[in-house]
Amino acid sequence: MKWFGKCVDYFFTGMGFGAISYVCILTFLYPGIAPTIRETTSVLIISGFIGLISMIFETDLPMSIAIIIHFVGTFCLFLAMALINPRWVINISTIVVFVLIYVIIWLICLLEQKKTVNRINDRIKKRNLK
């Protein structure tokens, strides 16, 4: 059951990143274009699957291999999303936006991990001082 809970957590985290990315793209790159039910649903579901792919980072694979697998899997799911949504076009600019968003999300995750590690280290220091 613990494994299922972890999967749900990763799925919803992926949905969150996907929803935020989608809203930002619509707001800043395509202002005035309303999202459709099909687009929103596909973004949420496929972003959830991208979140599940992120579980690869909890394996014993070398980080470089895990990043490559995650990036390729994420890009394939992004292409599937584009095929599901007829208004979406795949060209060099959408690929650049995809890579940019991928890097931004990575930076956010790294900053969050750094913050967590610092908080844990602070607690350890406080406990050792007592």
Side-chain angles (χ1 to χ4, degrees):
M1 194 58 142
K2 188 176 182 179
W3 182 81
F4 179 75
K6 185 175 275 195
C7 288
V8 169
D9 185 46
Y10 273 84
F11 190 87
F12 280 109
T13 299
M15 285 177 69
F17 278 120
I20 291 168
S21 300
Y22 182 53
V23 168
C24 287
I25 288 170
L26 285 178
T27 302
F28 299 113
L29 297 180
Y30 303 103
I33 295 180
T36 65
I37 292 172
R38 179 186 218 168
E39 289 170 347
T40 302
T41 304
S42 70
V43 166
L44 292 175
I45 292 170
I46 292 177
S47 295
F49 287 126
I50 292 170
L52 287 175
I53 292 174
S54 299
M55 292 178 79
I56 195 163
F57 296 111
E58 293 195 13
T59 65
D60 291 332
L61 286 172
M63 184 59 101
S64 57
I65 301 296
I67 289 172
I68 291 168
I69 292 170
H70 184 265
F71 181 82
V72 170
T74 300
F75 187 71
C76 289
L77 287 170
F78 167 73
L79 291 176
M81 202 173 355
L83 291 173
I84 291 169
N85 298 297
R87 292 194 306 177
W88 294 19
V89 178
I90 297 295
N91 55 31
I92 191 69
S93 64
T94 55
I95 293 171
V96 168
V97 168
F98 168 81
V99 171
L100 182 65
I101 289 171
Y102 189 87
V103 169
I104 290 169
I105 291 173
W106 256 104
L107 291 173
I108 291 168
C109 290
L110 288 174
L111 289 172
E112 185 62 31
Q113 286 177 349
K114 184 176 180 350
K115 187 172 111 179
T116 301
V117 168
N118 288 340
R119 187 175 30 225
I120 291 169
N121 286 338
D122 288 343
R123 287 182 184 166
I124 291 171
K125 286 177 188 175
K126 286 179 184 176
R127 188 173 19 180
N128 288 340
L129 291 174
K130 289 182 179 181

